Amino acid sequence: MGDGPSASGLPNGAAPLADPALARPASMQEWFEVTKEGRMDRMMPPWKNRLSDEEIWDAVAFAYSLHVTDTSLDQGEVVWGEQCSQCHGPQGAGDGPEAVANGWQMPDLSDLNAATARSDEEWFQTVSDGGGNMPAFSSSLSEDDRWAAVQFARTFSYEPARTPTLAAGEGRLLGKVVNNTAGGEVPAGAVVTLHPFENFEERRPIESTVGPDGSFTFDGLPAGDQFAYILTTDYGGLPFGSNVLSVPTDTLQADVTVPVWETSTTAGDISVELAQLFVESHQGNLLIGELYRVVQDGDRVYTGSEPAASGRNKVLEFSLPPEATALAMDGGEIGGRFVRTNNSVIDTQPLYPGRSQILMRYLLPYTGTSADFDREMSYPVDNLSVLVVDGPKVETDLQETDPQTIQDQLWNNFVTTNVAAGQDIKLRLSGLQRADATAAGAMPATPALTTAVVAYHPPIVAGVALVTGILALVVFVAYVLRSKPQHAVAVAPAGTSTSADGDERQALLQSIARLDDMYAAGELGEDNYVVLRTAEKRRLVQLSEPPVDDSTDSAAVEAEVSTDPGQSDA
Ligand code: HEC
């Protein structure tokens, strides 16, 4: 849609390729040319020296599928069967019975060279007005049907991704949209979208409209271990969602709540339940990780009132040392969700009631062998700890407590409680490795800090199910599972160990480790974590089961994946 984080820096923005109004008049060949040669007057760089022609075609084909919806392809398929196939043939090759009987000269719509030379609009004109032996459809088919038929005709030369529909079943899902804001109305007429997953692969979403009391029903759903469901709804322009639903029984009859809240431009009580600062020195830089578990104690979604530089509202603002470099935020980009100012970083994402989490990393240069780490807390903090990788001498007013071992690394631990907003946290580190002037710059790969930040964090309980986060996660899991070599797994007799099994096992273990990290970091609520992890573990056990005696191998797998998150070897 032309809304990527770098688009706001362009004089004319970026073209919204997914907008049918922009895509329909263009042919794929035109887009290929622009991508290859660039259009510098509009700040579109040429890609010819960086991507091969094949890679450019792949990217263009993907971009050209963005304005096409699953529903219009379905609709077009029906129109094609009824109105077009008798001449053009079922696969668009021009071999339909009517064309053959009349000996007509037919275009081959499955010819990629011909198809990519024509825009949707050119084809639409032909379908509407006819030409030669092609009849005009402008009076017999609606405009919508004609566009749909054109879009379907493209699938003969290239297949735009179409999400498969969900198989029919006996299950029924009952639920309710509940407004959790005091005095809030039930959003009558709201649309609830059901996102089904089958073995973590997305199936076509299904929509339903809520009744006057917020209730909704989805019928005819398949149930069983391999299915998972998430419900989402939009309310007041914001996304809300349920937890992931697992349906372990054969008949699905579930009750589910989709919570929504009203919005507010007035901040309620915002505090930090837990702040953890991680400090490590690396060649003239302090490498800092900061983790804040934020609590919004109101019953409304806080959307901010003051515009931030990006045109979005400022919701949270955390102080940041002006000399910080290589800032990276978890969960969003600088210039997108996050905006950096001279001495702070702003989060523009609306803040839902309950807990959420901010995680940032940056470098702080020092000179000589000592450094002052001086941090102003932007919000009141209940519990704060600063963990410093063992080595330098630390002087601070904070209380030193038991050191922590995280990922085989000893961290000295300095704590305090009840820090007021605006109060400074000060540490002086001396005896550091002498700063090396040439080493500053990119964030070094330091396993200690990056893994420690997620590993140490104690598990969070329930939180607001941030819809986009969960969907992204399920899609990520699907990606991991899909990237396995499927053939080899499918043809291998049960229990035979193949290298494909090994690859899938590896992918699953990585995915489980990542789920653990996300859960430990509070990015994933308990319910979702349990559902997703159980499903993956089940697949892992399945994969390791010998055909007859399944006690040994699956027990080993069990041991391998059952480590609690938060422990150092998770
Ligand atoms: C009676 C036979 C017939 C039917 C039915 C028919 N077409 Fe055609 N179509 C043709 C012929 C013949 C041509 C070539 C026209 C020409 O030579 O200008 C053609 C051309 C086209 C083209 C232009 C191809 C190109 O790149 O030049 C498109 C697109 C197309 N048809 C789509 C459709 C669709 C979509 C339908 C159904 C809604 C349809 N046609 C129904 C016979 C038919």
Side-chain angles (χ1 to χ4, degrees), residues 79-80 83-88 98-99 104-107 109 114-115 118 122-124 126-127 130-135 137 141 146 149-150 153:
V79 175
W80 187 265
Q83 308 283 345
C84 322
S85 181
Q86 72 271 31
C87 288
H88 286 282
E98 195 175 332
W104 286 330
Q105 193 64 6
M106 294 294 298
L109 299 180
R118 300 267 197 281
E122 284 171 286
W123 274 8
F124 179 80
T126 306
V127 176
N133 293 314
M134 162 93 177
F137 285 94
L141 284 178
R146 279 175 272 148
V150 163

Side-chain angles (χ1 to χ4, degrees), residues 100-269:
V100 173
N102 290 295
W104 286 330
Q105 193 64 6
M106 294 294 298
D108 180 0
L109 299 180
S110 67
D111 175 356
L112 192 58
N113 279 323
T116 54
R118 300 267 197 281
S119 67
D120 281 3
E121 210 162 77
E122 284 171 286
W123 274 8
F124 179 80
Q125 282 315 324
T126 306
V127 176
S128 301
D129 306 339
N133 293 314
M134 162 93 177
F137 285 94
S138 53
S139 48
S140 56
L141 284 178
S142 72
E143 194 178 321
D144 219 34
D145 276 345
R146 279 175 272 148
W147 281 118
V150 163
Q151 246 125 43
F152 181 71
R154 290 222 172 268
T155 66
F156 301 129
S157 64
Y158 109 106
E159 185 77 45
R162 208 170 359 162
T163 318
T165 47
L166 188 66
E170 300 281 287
R172 156 174 287 196
L173 203 143
L174 300 168
K176 214 169 187 181
V177 177
V178 176
N179 191 326
N180 284 339
T181 301
E185 301 272 304
V186 177
V191 173
V192 176
T193 307
L194 178 71
H195 303 264
F197 294 87
E198 183 172 353
N199 287 323
F200 290 110
E201 301 211 2
E202 269 183 291
R203 294 291 172 256
R204 195 84 58 83
I206 308 168
E207 292 188 342
S208 175
T209 307
V210 306
D213 61 346
S215 64
F216 55 82
T217 309
F218 289 93
D219 269 320
L221 303 176
D225 274 351
Q226 68 274 40
F227 296 100
Y229 297 96
I230 299 171
L231 288 146
T232 62
T233 190
D234 277 344
Y235 182 65
L238 290 175
F240 296 91
S242 70
N243 282 319
V244 183
L245 299 166
S246 65
V247 277
T249 56
D250 288 342
T251 332
L252 160 64
Q253 165 85 31
D255 260 305
V256 57
T257 302
V258 183
V260 301
W261 288 270
E262 304 292 328
T263 58
S264 170
T265 52
T266 321
D269 266 353

Side-chain angles (χ1 to χ4, degrees), residues 68-84:
V68 182
T69 64
D70 285 343
T71 3
S72 86
L73 289 176
D74 289 352
Q75 187 183 342
E77 190 167 7
V78 174
V79 175
W80 187 265
E82 290 170 356
Q83 308 283 345
C84 322

